[in-house]
């Protein structure tokens, strides 16, 4: 039996330890977005699904939007849904969404794109969640395809999504309850490709701002510093720094949000605890004035 080999196999055990570490790393710790952080409900996102609104997770970089989108999809997959993932970016073309003709061994076949696959599955009765990471980075033309297909229409007394595929000369109809779209993006001023192609696409989503609460940052950092063998007080200090920088950001003193990703990176890459503050400055921003604000915040907390 395969299991027999695992017992007493040192490498297997090591591999298992590594694997479980990775699994730990992806544990859902808190899926509550900060504006609603007082809400106990960890499955806050379910009302968007139940009310039939596509969900757009927006907010500053490095605060967990993508991870949250994937975790929500994971949860649905565990309930029998299928998940389809689209990585947004300038490389996304109509062919990636709708598909195209391909020639294989002399015969031509139509290979459906990711969006069409979702529709075909949903048409058949399968529930499908489509995760579109970095939606605003998708080119305007392809955003146009989404505008057309992401809003349910009433046809024959039923709510359906429709997708027209000109190359096939066919429109696909998917019952609205079988399809759900979750997207992520940094919207607003100061972000590259920060715009959705038009207001209509924005309206196809209900949006939720994702920014970790101080509590959540505290929980995650504490776990991280303990894993690294650093003292738990380091996490507390970093939370204070984050708090100060949040204030500086709100007041407009800095344009760069001190993200959870930056905090995480400094803790993970420091060879010793004392290195964390300087690494944080290093990874925070290229702007000298912004760095000075962070240095001041660090001095106030670390001395
Ligand atoms: N719940 C969580 N538990 C542990 N780590 C988390 C959690 N959420 C986010 N992180 C970590 O924070 C970092 C940023 O997360 P993520 O990439 O999802 O952010 P994002 O908002 O999508 O950023 P971007 O706007 O740059 O795409 C990652 O290293 C991720 O692993
Ligand atoms: Mg992301």
């Amino acid at each position: 039996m395969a299991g027999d080999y695992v017992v007493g196999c040192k490498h297997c055990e090591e591999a298992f330890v590594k694997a479980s570490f990775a699994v730990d790393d992806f544990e859902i710790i808190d899926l509550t977005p900060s504006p609603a952080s007082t809400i106990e409900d960890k499955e806050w996102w379910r009302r968007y699904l139940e009310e039939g609104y596509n969900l757009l997770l927006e907010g500053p970089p490095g605060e967990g939007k993508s991870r949250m989108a994937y975790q929500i999809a994971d949860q649905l997959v565990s309930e029998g849904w299928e998940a389809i993932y689209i990585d947004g970016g300038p490389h996304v073309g109509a062919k990636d969404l709708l598909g195209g003709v391909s020639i294989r061994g002399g015969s031509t076949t139509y290979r459906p794109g990711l969006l069409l696959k979702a529709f075909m599955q949903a048409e058949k009765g399968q529930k499908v969640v489509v995760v579109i990471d970095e939606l605003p980075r998708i080119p305007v033309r392809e955003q146009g395809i989404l505008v057309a297909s992401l809003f349910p229409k009433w046809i024959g007394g039923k709510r359906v999504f429709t997708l027209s595929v000109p190359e096939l000369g066919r429109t696909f109809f998917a019952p609205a309850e079988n399809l759900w779209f979750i997207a992520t993006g940094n919207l607003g001023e100061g972000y590259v490709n920060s715009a959705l192609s038009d207001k209509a696409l924005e309206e196809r989503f209900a949006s939720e701002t994702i920014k970790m609460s101080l509590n959540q940052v505290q929980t995650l950092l504490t776990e991280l510093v303990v894993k690294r063998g650093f003292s738990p007080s380091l996490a507390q200090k970093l939370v204070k720094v984050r708090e100060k920088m949040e204030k500086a950001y709100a007041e407009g003193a800095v344009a760069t949000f001190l993200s959870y990703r930056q905090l995480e990176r400094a803790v993970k890459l420091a060879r010793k605890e004392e290195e964390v503050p300087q690494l944080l400055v290093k990874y925070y921003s290229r702007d000298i004035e912004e760095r000075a604000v962070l240095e001041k915040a660090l001095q106030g907390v670390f001395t």
Side-chain angles (χ1 to χ4, degrees), residues 65-66 133-134 184 261:
K65 298 179 298 295
S66 299
D133 203 13
E134 301 282 359
T184 77
R261 183 189 284 130

Side-chain angles (χ1 to χ4, degrees), residues 54 74 78-79 99 133 167 197 205 211 248:
N54 298 318
D74 276 357
S78 78
E79 295 167 22
D133 203 13
E167 246 184 297
S197 63
F205 291 89
K211 186 171 100 30

Side-chain angles (χ1 to χ4, degrees), residues 60-67 134 186 212 220 260-261 264:
E63 289 289 299
K65 298 179 298 295
S66 299
R67 183 166 172 145
E134 301 282 359
N186 314 117
M212 285 191 195
L220 293 177
Y260 177 74
R261 183 189 284 130
E264 181 186 54

Side-chain angles (χ1 to χ4, degrees), residues 49 132 260 284:
L49 171 63
I132 310 175
Y260 177 74
Y284 170 57

